Amino acid sequence: MRTQPTTTRTSTQITTVANDNDGHPRPPAAALRMPIPDRQAEKALRELEAFLRRLPLLNRGVEYGTVSFSMSLLEREVAAHIDPQIIGPIVYSGHVDQELALRYLGLLGFAVSSLERHAQGAGRPAGSALAAMPGVERCLLELGRIANHPPRDSHYTYWLNNNSDDPLTFTGETGEKFFNFAVNQTDLLLGNAADYLLDIRIGALSLRDPQAVLCIEEAAASIAILRRVYLDYRRPVEGGTGARMTPLDFNRMRNYLLPYPVGGMMHSGPNATNVAAYPRVDLAIGWADEAFCATIAQRLSHMNDRDAALVRRDLGLPSLAERLLDLIGLRTEKGVSPTIEQLIDHIRQSGSDGRKVAHAYSLLVKEAHALSALHWGHISHYLVHGGKTIPAEMAATMPLKPHTGVSGSSLDRTHALMSGRSAHWTVTCLPKAVDRLTFAD
Ligand code: HEM
């Protein structure tokens, strides 16, 4: 995964600085060579995790300005639990493998990103909280190197690897836990949908094969299940009254996902935009135009090798839209969309195979389009309108304002991307063509 340089230091210099002995606490040389038994690492991780279970209370106290939970108390607690004297000997032991390094990064990420949120909320520059803990910063860089991952938390550590009934959170709110659930369901269900469509895309399964229609219907069913999960955001849990996630929950959560520099390089925080399954379905459907594909390509640098390879391969495969047009023998010039009449004529001529595929594909597109519309509805509800309901004194300490994406992009860009889906012929023409054929029979 690549990172954005922001300051004067290059990545080569970072390695040098990270290995310097500048007087800050570091494990003594003997400890560095001493084998660290797994159980010692395991014990340290368990203790850190136990502290992180209390972190939401501390974060809440700082956010709400509760006198007994000041920023300095949080700083003291974090410093005690991620003391380089404790974590350093483990990190540098030579016994930390990629999996453990990633787990460690995720745990440390909760502590460091909490401090950063409050420091930035108090008007301090990004990275100032971490800069006050150079021993911790060096540990993050070392763990990032071992894990082949940015030296902080990401959508992998915060959501995908933190996938349990009781995930770690910044705020402790049900809403944040539900968001975690929804991201993991997206990863699973959209990943399934993309996989169901893969054989058709690579040409291993002909659209004339009845199994192809089943695969398209299964993909549509996966998206339909996910849509119900997204609908639950604003519904109460059984027996309750309030929404599972309120605008306040959402805005509190996203303020812990801020960018900050580590070792002189700016790193963005966890962002659900980078979950690979989402663009994989866009590419399978075929409604991503050149600009959309360029946006997807930009996300590759935030994905691990496996996900990036999947998306890179998907970028180069024919979409279902292309496979359908091939099946019904409809050729249009590059950039020119088929009309409803052309679709009706060609589907009719292609016999029952063409009709069945067009019907199943239209269903798939409807489901995916409805999901995208619901997503925009949530953005509107939680940020555009919901942002105005946050108490003014709390909004003032939120570094990330509701009208901005966590990556710093404007919501207009996201709206344009979602409108691109709505304007595609698979949405504007195909369902009408399928309906007219059905009624004509
Ligand atoms: C309350 C629910 C949600 C809200 C309010 C919301 C909000 C947003 C916002 C503000 C953006 C703009 C980009 C940015 O912030 O950097 C965005 C984009 C995006 N979000 Fe969400 N999100 C929600 C749920 C989810 C979930 C559960 C996923 C699952 C992975 C997800 C995946 C994405 C993706 C892939 C994009 C890129 C735009 C697209 O492809 O349509 N979001 N979302």
Side-chain angles (χ1 to χ4, degrees), residues 186 230 233 250 271 278 375 379 383 405-407 414 418 421:
T186 305
Y230 279 35
Y233 268 104
F250 184 76
N271 189 343
Y278 223 105
H375 190 177
I379 294 177
L383 294 170
V406 285
S407 53
T414 308
M418 291 174 170
R421 291 187 183 114

Side-chain angles (χ1 to χ4, degrees), residues 348-414:
R348 189 175 272 135
Q349 284 161 26
S350 65
S352 74
D353 284 352
R355 279 183 188 222
K356 282 183 194 152
V357 171
H359 188 272
Y361 180 47
S362 172
L363 184 75
L364 169 76
V365 173
K366 270 188 200 167
E367 285 298 346
H369 185 229
L371 184 75
S372 179
L374 190 55
H375 190 177
W376 179 255
H378 283 343
I379 294 177
S380 210
H381 173 76
Y382 285 100
L383 294 170
V384 182
H385 298 291
K388 295 179 193 137
T389 65
I390 312 290
E393 62 282 10
M394 178 161 288
T397 70
M398 285 183 172
L400 186 61
K401 302 302 173 203
H403 51 267
T404 321
V406 285
S407 53
S409 61
S410 91
L411 295 183
D412 294 344
R413 272 193 69 193
T414 308

